[in-house]
Amino acid sequence: MIGEARQSPGGGAMSVAEIEHELGKLRANDDGTLALRSSVLNLIVVTDEDSAPDVTRAVSNLAGRHPARAIVLISDPDGERNVDVRISAFCNVRGGGAQVCAEQITVHAEGPPANHLESLAGPLLLPDLPVFLWYPGAFSPLSPEFAAMADLADRVVVDSAAREDREETLREMAAMVGEKEMPAVGDLQWVGLSPWRSLLADAFGSPERSDELEKIESVEILYAPGGECRALLLLGWLASTLGWSPENATRDGSHRRVEFSGPSGKVSAELSPDSPDARLRRVRLRSPGYSFQVSRHRERAEVRTTVLRGEDLAAERTVRLGSFDLGVLVGEELRYRGCDEAYEAALRTAVEVLDL
Amino acid sequence: MPDPGVVVIFGASGDLTSRKLVPALYELASQRRLPMEIAVVGLSRTEMSHEEFRKKLRETLEEHVSGGVSDDVWDSFAGGIFYLPGDSKKPETYEELKGFLKKLDEERGTQGNRAFYLSTSPSLVPTIVERLGEAGMNEGENGGWSRLVIEKPFGRDLGSAKELNEEIRRHFDEGQIYRIDHYLGKETVQNILALRFANGIFEPIWNQHYVDHVQITVAEDIGVGTRGAFYEEAGALRDIVQNHVMQVLCLTAMEPPVSFDAESLREEKVKVLKAVRPIPDEEADDYAVRGQYTRGWVFGEEVIGYREEENVDPDSVTETFVGLRLFVDNWRWAGVPFFLRAGKRMPKKATEVAIQFHSSPHTPFAHDDTEGLEPNVLVVRVQPEEGLSLKIGAKVPGSGFEVSSVNMDLLYGTAFLEEAPDAYQRLLLDLMLGDPTLFIRADEAEGAWRILDPVMRHWARKKEVSPYPAGTWGPEDADALLERDGREWRRP
């Protein structure tokens, strides 16, 4: 991408007017002309000191595809009271010299202001554009701080696997999604599932196999330790889409068995941890006549789909899984505006499974 | 270049003199926009010598002019600054002033021209005007001119504004009276006129055929600070809405004037005020909402509520927020609601006019593809960073035909390549030049009060005010005001 990063020299405590003025100056070119700013969204990111460099990198990678005003809030409630502002812009030269600038405002908030981030982010938002709120790390969906931030947003993007207690996170998220006041929610664990979901759906694509969907008897999901959220969401998705209701569950360490009642009888599911090199290793669905499997290559980011009729290979295909870079995942989420009903149903079912 | 003359400031020991008037005159002088023979005479009750007055002004000058103060420029300018201690109620003061001004005419060549700037408490205005008239200072000396500048608030309601106009006109003609609303001196506010009337593309769509509704926002992030006592008397309606907000409404809604001379422009503004649908007293709540800020957070800082502010009644029902829903009943605007709001302790300082257009009548795209697509909005932004933005629907790159909103934002280059002059510079220069275009005519002031009178009467009877936490866009009632028309407030 042709472009240039521009850094404002200032910093420290700044007023909203000073910040806007500095951003305006960054749009001025050397020849005295002004870059036009065309933006499609606001992106607020709430993070901490340790994750800030990675997050900032991901945000600047988004600038090309999603010209935005990014407000990166680095929060440290335990620190000494301080608010420090840094400003940069990334101006992208398109043909004819016209420029499009994406802007980034980084605010370090320490002490009490860190508990009122909404008062810092709100005034910096661009009018008329949707607001995405991204928590790359741990977050508490039911806290007043989160609610105040969510109030600013049209869509909240989180990572349900970011916290240690993943089950509790899923429960809290399901409660959050149920609230009317909450904006739409996106989950990076869910975005990561999207190629898996489409590959599984493809496996049932041909007319003679589509009937098998109603006859599924068992599901096996192999996931990496730490990939439990993704596995549960995938199971939740299968169950909610295919009309299975969870009946009972047993667990042995991190190995889980779940019984569902489906439209044509019992469905048993097994979730087992596997090697740590891929968050999802393999998904296998069986019906009386068929076995459908999608599995990831051990080294390469490739997945192989196989359909067996009895012992015979009925269909086979290997495709690239695509990048799971943080920026790519978040970028996917920024394409959507409204509620993702499939996700919400999957999340609710996953929590029903947890609560059995 | 204006004629030589004297600017006499009543209430010269006050804030406005050192913060705005003298810095503006200093800047004008340093830019060679005033004649050499200009003089400034300060008058108030405080005992001070000329030299002490100059010293006092010099001390705070640096804070109020951009780009530093040159000692040489100041010294030459300060040579024309004088001070007269005196009680503005007593006739003797005016005899003394008259003699002093005559002396200045002889010594500095100020040619008998005088501008009396009334920067005093509003209650003193009628007395000063009367005394000036009695002393014969409502006319310049030896064929010179005499002008009178009156600061807002211009009256407290329609009745008092009318009375005040009558009292002043007993001694001064309308042509001599300059009612100042510094908002009109702002480059950025004048740019609303430039946008509308210097561009051919906007005017054809500037009407009810294309416009769904208009929102005017004048938001401040600050609280009342040390002005509690003043604010208790005024409130947002009198302090901001009756003057600034109504002026912005006029500039937005008016018909194109035949020319930009004072009478043509002001005539069109008055027509807008006359066309505003009167608010029935008993239905005032459907048209107007008031709010008052409580404790909250503004840009990372915790701030106190209005009732906790210095010199504010702990049970005060004074409004710090006003939301209005008005209709301009004329051919151009029939049926288009105008939503106006002004408030303190909002999340940020922002002044803007947003024109929201009707949605496209039919979209050939599938509903799912236009998720996030909203009607076009044209925003004239006065602050922060003066500019113009347009929200348009555009195709999202990719193989489908997904359409989404993009915001195109243009900053007016002058916003930072050159610091815009302070509003007072422009207005003081116009005053000296005798151009009242950007000042308020008597019928404009009265017209604005006429619209708001029913609201004030209703609020005077009503004993409550809706609270809103500092750092938010006003009380919930304000949202309800728009919901009844199926609209919602923008986030500026």
Side-chain angles (χ1 to χ4, degrees):
Chain A
M1 189 180 352
I2 315 159
E4 62 171 320
R6 298 172 179 180
Q7 195 82 29
S8 168
M14 289 172 89
S15 70
V16 179
E18 286 165 343
I19 293 171
E20 293 288 352
H21 190 68
E22 281 303 312
L23 285 168
K25 281 210 256 181
L26 289 183
R27 281 159 70 184
N29 301 320
D30 295 338
D31 60 359
T33 58
L34 279 172
L36 180 74
R37 178 182 65 204
S38 62
S39 323
V40 297
L41 56 91
N42 289 286
L43 174 63
I44 309 175
V45 190
V46 181
T47 184
D48 55 28
E49 200 67 60
D50 297 339
S51 325
D54 285 344
V55 168
T56 308
R57 206 169 308 118
V59 168
S60 47
N61 287 342
L62 288 171
R65 274 171 301 138
H66 302 275
R69 168 168 291 185
I71 302 160
V72 178
L73 302 167
I74 302 172
S75 148
D76 176 12
D78 302 324
E80 185 115 334
R81 197 208 139 80
N82 186 32
V83 175
D84 175 87
V85 182
R86 306 275 149 179
I87 290 163
S88 57
F90 186 84
C91 292
N92 183 10
V93 187
R94 300 244 165 104
Q99 296 207 14
V100 177
C101 289
E103 303 164 321
Q104 185 171 328
I105 307 163
T106 309
V107 184
H108 283 254
E110 294 164 83
N115 292 320
H116 294 275
L117 295 175
E118 75 286 353
S119 81
L120 290 162
L124 296 174
L125 295 171
L126 288 177
D128 294 315
L129 293 176
V131 180
F132 290 82
L133 170 63
W134 176 30
Y135 279 81
F139 64 103
S140 319
L142 304 178
S143 67
E145 287 82 13
F146 183 88
M149 288 302 287
D151 225 22
L152 296 174
D154 299 294
R155 186 171 185 88
V156 183
V157 180
V158 297
D159 180 352
S160 56
R163 251 165 59 182
E164 280 304 314
D165 49 348
R166 301 205 174 84
E167 293 189 8
E168 191 49 34
T169 308
L170 287 179
R171 282 194 190 93
E172 287 181 10
M173 283 185 61
M176 167 176 83
V177 164
E179 273 178 45
K180 228 174 67 201
E181 320 256 286
M182 272 291 157
V185 177
D187 181 350
L188 296 188
Q189 295 302 316
W190 177 251
V191 188
L193 283 177
S194 93
W196 291 83
R197 291 192 291 132
S198 80
L199 288 168
L200 278 170
D202 285 350
F204 292 90
S206 76
E208 72 269 21
R209 296 199 291 270
S210 62
D211 290 345
E212 299 301 311
L213 276 174
E214 287 176 13
K215 304 178 201 154
I216 302 292
E217 291 174 329
S218 74
V219 183
E220 282 170 50
I221 300 175
L222 296 185
Y223 63 90
E228 198 180 8
C229 280
R230 225 174 260 200
L232 280 162
L233 286 171
L234 184 60
L235 182 64
W237 172 66
L238 287 169
S240 57
T241 330
L242 298 175
W244 309 339
S245 48
E247 297 285 324
N248 66 72
T250 55
R251 60 188 297 184
D252 170 15
S254 34
H255 185 95
R256 227 183 258 277
R257 282 176 171 281
V258 190
E259 295 275 319
F260 294 92
S261 68
S264 49
K266 288 245 174 293
V267 182
S268 68
E270 237 178 289
L271 277 63
S272 323
D274 192 68
S275 62
D277 48 3
R279 286 226 167 141
L280 271 184
R281 160 70 48 216
R282 193 181 76 202
V283 183
R284 185 188 286 153
L285 307 183
R286 284 183 216 272
S287 68
Y290 282 89
S291 161
F292 303 85
Q293 175 174 301
V294 180
S295 61
R296 190 184 187 280
H297 192 277
R298 291 229 169 247
E299 278 96 45
R300 294 189 297 278
E302 290 174 359
V303 275
R304 179 161 188 255
T305 309
T306 52
V307 178
L308 298 177
R309 187 171 41 227
E311 299 294 311
D312 307 330
L313 188 65
E316 187 275 341
R317 161 167 90 155
T318 300
V319 294
R320 291 191 46 220
L321 193 53
S323 166
F324 281 93
D325 176 74
L326 187 57
V328 173
L329 291 181
V330 175
E332 274 300 300
E333 273 300 316
L334 300 186
R335 293 180 50 223
Y336 301 104
R337 298 283 189 273
C339 280
D340 184 343
E341 282 165 20
Y343 169 68
E344 294 184 6
L347 176 65
R348 273 192 292 269
T349 311
V351 170
E352 280 176 43
V353 167
L354 289 177
D355 290 343
L356 283 174
Chain B
M1 184 72 78
D3 305 330
V6 190
V7 182
V8 181
I9 305 172
F10 284 84
S13 56
D15 225 21
L16 189 72
T17 309
S18 57
R19 228 163 29 88
K20 292 288 181 191
L21 303 181
V22 168
L25 288 166
Y26 166 83
E27 293 261 36
L28 287 172
S30 74
Q31 294 160 17
R32 290 177 285 118
R33 307 189 71 173
L34 293 177
M36 283 164 67
E37 301 88 351
I38 201 82
V40 179
V41 176
L43 193 144
S44 71
R45 275 169 29 184
T46 321
E47 285 291 336
M48 250 190 292
S49 67
H50 300 314
E51 208 40 59
E52 281 167 331
F53 184 53
R54 292 171 191 150
K55 196 160 164 274
K56 177 175 176 277
L57 295 173
R58 177 69 183 85
E59 275 165 11
T60 52
L61 191 64
E62 232 105 24
E63 295 166 33
H64 304 296
V65 298
S66 54
V69 179
S70 148
D71 280 329
D72 290 342
V73 176
W74 170 255
D75 289 344
S76 89
F77 174 66
I81 299 181
F82 305 92
Y83 183 78
L84 273 187
D87 184 341
S88 59
K89 287 183 197 140
K90 291 188 177 151
E92 307 88 274
T93 308
Y94 295 80
E95 287 311 316
E96 203 186 324
L97 175 66
K98 197 172 180 183
F100 189 77
L101 294 180
K102 271 190 184 163
K103 208 171 80 179
L104 282 181
D105 286 342
E106 287 157 19
E107 289 173 8
R108 289 190 58 91
T110 43
Q111 298 185 8
N113 297 322
R114 289 104 176 73
F116 299 102
Y117 200 112
L118 272 49
S119 168
T120 57
S121 124
S123 61
L124 283 172
V125 170
T127 315
I128 296 173
V129 171
E130 202 181 339
R131 296 275 179 275
L132 285 170
E134 287 165 359
M137 285 196 276
N138 48 356
E139 285 174 31
E141 288 286 330
N142 300 322
W145 44 256
S146 169
R147 295 175 190 145
L148 186 69
V149 186
I150 299 173
E151 271 285 342
K152 62 158 193 156
F154 194 80
R156 279 190 60 74
D157 50 27
L158 180 59
S160 60
K162 275 185 166 168
E163 218 170 278
L164 186 57
N165 277 331
E166 273 167 33
E167 281 168 5
I168 297 170
R169 274 193 299 230
R170 245 177 257 144
H171 302 281
F172 288 82
D173 296 335
E174 182 61 36
Q176 294 176 283
I177 308 168
Y178 290 72
R179 293 172 197 82
I180 196 165
D181 180 340
H182 71 264
Y183 239 58
L184 283 178
K186 285 180 188 276
E187 288 281 308
T188 47
V189 172
Q190 293 162 35
N191 242 328
I192 299 174
L193 294 176
L195 174 82
R196 290 191 57 198
F197 304 129
N199 295 289
I201 61 166
F202 296 116
E203 211 40 34
I205 53 170
W206 209 264
N207 56 53
Q208 43 86 19
H209 292 296
Y210 296 92
V211 176
D212 177 79
H213 72 276
V214 177
Q215 292 191 19
I216 297 174
T217 302
V218 177
E220 295 176 284
D221 54 355
I222 53 169
V224 295
T226 54
R227 293 169 72 227
F230 160 80
Y231 209 82
E232 278 286 88
E233 284 295 309
L237 197 76
R238 291 186 171 92
D239 187 37
I240 303 279
V241 177
Q242 187 270 340
N243 34 65
H244 304 337
V245 179
M246 285 296 165
Q247 286 297 321
V248 177
L249 169 70
C250 287
L251 300 181
T252 307
M254 68 191 249
E255 296 299 318
V258 175
S259 82
F260 268 70
D261 65 69
E263 295 323 311
S264 307
L265 185 76
R266 300 197 288 184
E267 204 56 55
E268 296 304 337
K269 290 201 285 176
V270 168
K271 284 188 203 162
V272 173
L273 297 171
K274 280 187 183 155
V276 172
R277 188 184 302 168
I279 298 174
D281 275 41
E282 63 281 4
E283 292 167 34
D285 284 338
D286 294 345
Y287 293 88
V289 162
R290 66 171 164 180
Q292 188 186 68
Y293 64 84
T294 57
R295 191 171 272 273
W297 284 76
V298 181
F299 205 58
E301 205 154 329
E302 188 171 25
V303 296
I304 57 173
Y306 177 71
R307 290 178 183 184
E308 302 166 73
E309 301 272 12
E310 199 181 310
N311 295 326
V312 168
D313 180 354
D315 300 316
S316 171
V317 291
T318 303
E319 78 283 357
T320 62
F321 171 94
V322 176
L324 289 175
R325 167 175 167 262
L326 298 180
F327 291 88
V328 180
D329 286 338
N330 61 18
W331 193 278
R332 184 188 286 265
W333 295 116
V336 178
F338 281 73
F339 301 112
L340 285 60
R341 62 180 158 174
K344 289 199 174 288
R345 285 287 187 227
M346 309 259 100
K348 69 175 183 189
K349 189 175 166 101
T351 305
E352 59 163 45
V353 179
I355 314 287
Q356 177 161 334
F357 295 93
H358 292 304
S359 308
S360 55
H362 167 75
T363 73
F365 316 108
H367 172 72
D368 284 354
D369 292 341
T370 56
E371 211 187 326
L373 185 65
E374 283 157 8
N376 299 115
V377 183
L378 177 72
V379 180
V380 183
R381 191 173 59 243
V382 175
Q383 55 187 355
E385 293 311 295
E386 180 192 12
L388 196 64
S389 80
L390 178 64
K391 180 158 83 166
I392 54 172
K395 185 179 173 304
V396 177
S399 54
F401 212 101
E402 230 177 283
V403 185
S404 176
S405 292
V406 180
N407 198 23
M408 311 265 289
D409 186 279
L410 176 73
L411 289 172
Y412 290 150
T414 50
F416 41 81
L417 298 179
E418 188 183 314
E419 292 291 333
D422 185 78
Y424 278 91
Q425 281 182 44
R426 168 66 193 256
L427 294 174
L428 285 168
L429 189 63
D430 283 359
L431 164 72
M432 299 304 284
L433 287 166
D435 179 359
T437 309
L438 298 177
F439 292 83
I440 312 292
R441 213 166 63 180
D443 49 353
E444 271 182 77
E446 291 176 13
W449 283 121
R450 187 171 293 115
I451 296 167
L452 301 174
D453 248 20
V455 176
M456 292 188 292
R457 278 198 299 270
H458 179 68
W459 286 353
R461 286 190 297 268
K462 195 171 161 177
K463 286 290 165 234
E464 68 251 23
V465 58
S466 309
Y468 63 95
T472 63
W473 289 107
E476 281 169 20
D477 303 13
D479 298 335
L481 196 66
L482 271 69
E483 273 160 23
R484 80 180 72 234
D485 289 328
R487 273 92 172 192
E488 56 183 36
W489 289 110
R490 289 162 40 77
R491 170 171 47 70

